[in-house]
Amino acid sequence: MIRDELFERSPIRYFDKVTNGGLQSGELGLLVAKKGLGKTSVLVQFGADTLLQDKQVIHVSFDQLSPNIISWYQDIFSEIAKKKNLNNVAEQVNDLVHKRIILNFNQDNVSLPQVINTVKALAQGGIIASCMVVDGVDLNKISVEDLKAVSDYAKELGMSIWFSATSDAENLESVKNDLQDFFSMIIQLQAKSDVIEVAILKLRDSTVKTSGLKLDSKTLLIAEK
C-alpha cells in the first residue's frame, strides 16, 4: 500500500532509531529552538507519521493559523512521496488528513488545562487521538500545575504529546527545572555553520548522545547527517 511505503520513508524512522523508538504512549516531549529554525515542520512530521499509522492527531497551535498548518502537512507528505518517487498519493493524503483536528488558541486567553478540556470534549464525541502536538507554547506562561494536568491526561488516555517552544539557550537552561521532569524527551534544533542539527538534551533516564540527525536544508525533513 502507498500508505505503508510512505510510513517506511517517513523521516521519523531516523528519529525513532536514535531515540529508542521515539516518544511513547502517555509521554510528553518538548522541542525547543530559536525562532525560524523549523519547529513547526518537525512537529508536523510527528503528526504526519501518526496519521500514516491510521491514528488520530490533534494539532494545537498558539502561533499559526489553520491554513498555514494545512499547507505544512501537504508539503511534508509531498516531500516524503518525492523521496520514494511515489505518484498519485493525493487521494491517500486526503484520506489521511480526515483524522487530523486543528485547534487554534491564544495562550494569553486559554490555558493548557482548558486545551485539555477541549480535547476531552472531542474524545466524548468519539474523536480519540493517539498523538497531540502543541506548537508555539510559551514556557514562561506554563505552571507546574498546568503541565501536570496535561501529563496526567496523556497517561490516562495513552496519548503522546509533543510541545514546541522558542528559546535562545542551547542547553537545558531553556526549560525551567520544575518543568523538565514532566518531559520524557527534550530535543533542540541548533543552527551550525552549514546545517541545522537535531540535538537530544534529554532522553528519559538514558545517557544523552549525539543524535547524528539534521534538518534537510531544502525540505526541513529530519535526515541523517
Side-chain angles (χ1 to χ4, degrees), residues 27-28 144 147-148 151 178-184 202:
E27 293 183 335
L28 306 186
V144 170
L147 205 52
K148 184 178 185 305
S151 179
D178 55 357
L179 299 183
Q180 288 183 23
D181 289 342
F182 288 99
F183 296 106
S184 298
K202 177 182 178 181

Side-chain angles (χ1 to χ4, degrees), residues 28-36 38-44 46 59-64 107 112 132-140 142 147 161-167 174-175 183 185-189:
L28 306 186
L30 175 64
L31 165 65
V32 292
K34 294 180 180 179
K35 189 175 180 63
K39 295 187 296 296
T40 297
S41 173
V42 173
L43 285 197
V44 169
F46 287 132
H59 189 120
V60 177
S61 180
F62 285 113
D63 63 359
Q64 293 211 36
Q107 200 174 348
L112 286 181
M132 180 164 72
V133 297
V134 185
D135 194 13
V137 71
D138 186 340
L139 294 175
N140 294 318
I142 297 178
L147 205 52
I161 303 179
W162 273 105
F163 291 83
S164 77
T166 298
S167 173
S174 60
V175 186
F183 296 106
M185 196 180 305
I186 301 176
I187 62 176
Q188 187 171 55
L189 303 181

Side-chain angles (χ1 to χ4, degrees), residues 120-135:
K120 286 181 178 179
L122 290 172
Q124 290 171 356
I127 300 174
I128 302 176
S130 296
C131 170
M132 180 164 72
V133 297
V134 185
D135 194 13

